[in-house]
Amino acid sequence: MNRSFLALALAAGLLSGGTAAAQTTILNASFDVGRELYVDINPAFQTYWKGKSGQDVTVEQSHAGTSKQARSILEGLQADVVTFNQATDITALEKGGAVKPGWQAAFPNGASPYYSFPAFLVRKGNPKGIKDWGDLAREDVEAVFPNPKTSGNARYTYLAAYAWALKANGGDQGKAQEFVKTVLSHVPVFDTGGRGATTTFVERETGDVLITFEAETRGIQKEYGDRGFEVVVPPTSLKADFPVAVVDKVADARGTAEVAKGYLDFLYQPAAQEILAEHFYRPTLAEVAAKHQFPAVTLATVDEVFGGWDKLNAEHFASGGILDTVFVNQ
């Protein structure tokens, strides 16, 4: 077996390496733009877990659009935990038998240790004067975000735009659909995940505004300080919870259930919450949130606007739903 295949096999969990390896190595399947976050989270967890249990643990990472991640797990990816950006993709794992029912009650805050929301990143000087969701429907504005059929990140963008249009038009569903249809028609290219959209906007210099999680916009602004990117937090947006779950089918089979749960528990600890805030995610621990100055924003929720994820999925994301209606010729 050559070295590259062996490394890939170990990262995917295809080789257990025996009982000891199975007990000390876990795979976290996460959302596409969470790479840098978990580069910092994982060593902090290793130190925490060593002190708590005396056990050394290795955390492997897999990053992609969360819908793609869910499909991969159902097709055999040996992920012990998921740290996603949308509940519906964990629900898909539950329906597929990979996650046990009741996963949202297994951890605090509906199993969401942190949150964010769709915000805007514009080019130096904001030449198009983009300030709010309504600007995205202008003929002179090209918005960049991933495909909402493959990316949880993009689904939040779609839903935030829809929620804005509903409010702006007195709850008129038809006008809201026309608005998001126009916005979607102005997207020059649909990448499959959030990081691909970032590359399109930043490296390929395509589009006038990147729409992604606030945390990603601020991370890009910091990383590319010489480019003069500006973050625009719209007055209103849609709260994006980041739900987590143990993949019970995998963790039970591999004997990693205890460390998998410990990993997700750690995300609620002050040390992890500080790391989350440093990466511009909004922590749920009040004492940590108070130490960081996040811009004010009014956040609607999926429950308030769409009646919950079950109703939303049936009306918007099911085959033949509203998304299919407005996402034409894409």
Side-chain angles (χ1 to χ4, degrees):
M1 183 181 295
N2 63 49
R3 288 179 179 268
S4 61
F5 180 82
L6 177 60
L8 288 171
L10 288 169
L14 298 176
L15 298 178
S16 67
T19 302
Q23 292 176 339
T24 58
T25 302
I26 60 172
L27 175 63
N28 173 20
S30 193
F31 57 100
D32 193 40
V33 300
R35 292 173 175 83
E36 292 78 12
L37 170 64
Y38 283 99
V39 164
D40 288 346
I41 288 283
N42 290 343
F45 168 70
Q46 289 170 318
T47 300
Y48 163 83
W49 191 250
K50 179 71 171 179
K52 180 181 177 67
S53 69
Q55 182 183 37
D56 291 315
V57 60
T58 298
V59 183
E60 302 286 354
Q61 286 297 133
S62 172
H63 293 280
T66 56
S67 293
K68 181 179 180 181
Q69 293 283 57
R71 288 194 299 271
S72 295
I73 291 168
L74 293 175
E75 292 169 359
L77 178 66
Q78 295 292 288
D80 303 87
V81 298
V82 291
T83 54
F84 280 178
N85 56 27
Q86 188 171 293
T88 187
D89 292 319
I90 303 183
T91 300
L93 294 177
E94 179 187 343
K95 291 179 179 178
V99 170
K100 293 176 182 176
W103 61 269
Q104 283 184 299
F107 299 96
N109 303 316
S112 179
Y114 55 104
Y115 67 99
S116 192
F117 56 88
F120 307 154
L121 187 76
V122 298
R123 303 193 186 280
K124 186 176 182 179
N126 194 5
K128 296 294 179 73
I130 297 166
K131 297 294 184 183
D132 206 349
W133 294 96
D135 295 319
L136 305 183
R138 287 168 25 198
E139 286 294 333
D140 65 328
V141 171
E142 283 191 337
V144 175
F145 54 89
N147 189 327
K149 293 189 176 182
T150 59
S151 166
N153 183 328
R155 280 196 288 276
Y156 275 114
T157 293
Y158 161 84
L159 294 171
Y162 199 103
W164 178 89
L166 277 177
K167 185 174 181 180
N169 292 285
D172 189 312
Q173 292 283 345
K175 289 182 179 179
Q177 290 176 31
E178 283 302 313
F179 174 75
V180 294
K181 183 176 181 180
T182 300
V183 172
L184 288 164
S185 72
H186 292 175
V187 178
V189 58
F190 285 102
D191 296 286
T192 58
R195 188 48 54 86
T198 294
T199 299
T200 293
F201 182 78
V202 174
E203 302 295 346
R204 298 173 187 166
E205 299 185 344
T206 298
D208 303 299
V209 54
L210 173 69
I211 311 173
T212 185
F213 296 125
E214 178 199 34
E216 175 81 344
T217 65
R218 296 197 179 280
I220 297 167
Q221 183 187 45
K222 180 179 179 180
E223 182 178 357
Y224 295 89
D226 60 329
R227 302 279 287 273
F229 291 121
E230 299 179 17
V231 175
V232 176
V233 174
T236 63
S237 192
L238 189 75
K239 186 182 181 186
D241 289 315
F242 285 72
V244 301
V246 174
V247 184
D248 301 290
K249 183 178 181 179
V250 174
D252 289 347
R254 298 186 64 238
T256 57
E258 182 181 5
V259 67
K261 183 180 184 302
Y263 182 73
L264 300 183
D265 282 333
F266 176 68
L267 297 177
Y268 292 87
Q269 300 299 314
Q273 292 274 297
E274 284 287 352
I275 295 171
L276 290 162
E278 289 167 3
H279 283 265
F280 310 108
Y281 293 93
R282 300 203 177 198
T284 55
L285 196 60
E287 64 193 66
V288 175
K291 294 164 58 177
H292 297 267
Q293 295 182 338
F294 290 102
V297 61
T298 299
L299 297 179
T301 69
V302 166
D303 287 347
E304 293 168 350
V305 180
F306 300 100
W309 281 107
D310 289 344
K311 186 173 185 288
L312 168 62
N313 287 332
E315 293 182 353
H316 285 261
F317 298 140
S319 179
I322 294 173
L323 178 60
D324 281 349
T325 300
V326 299
F327 199 58
V328 294
N329 299 320
Q330 304 295 344

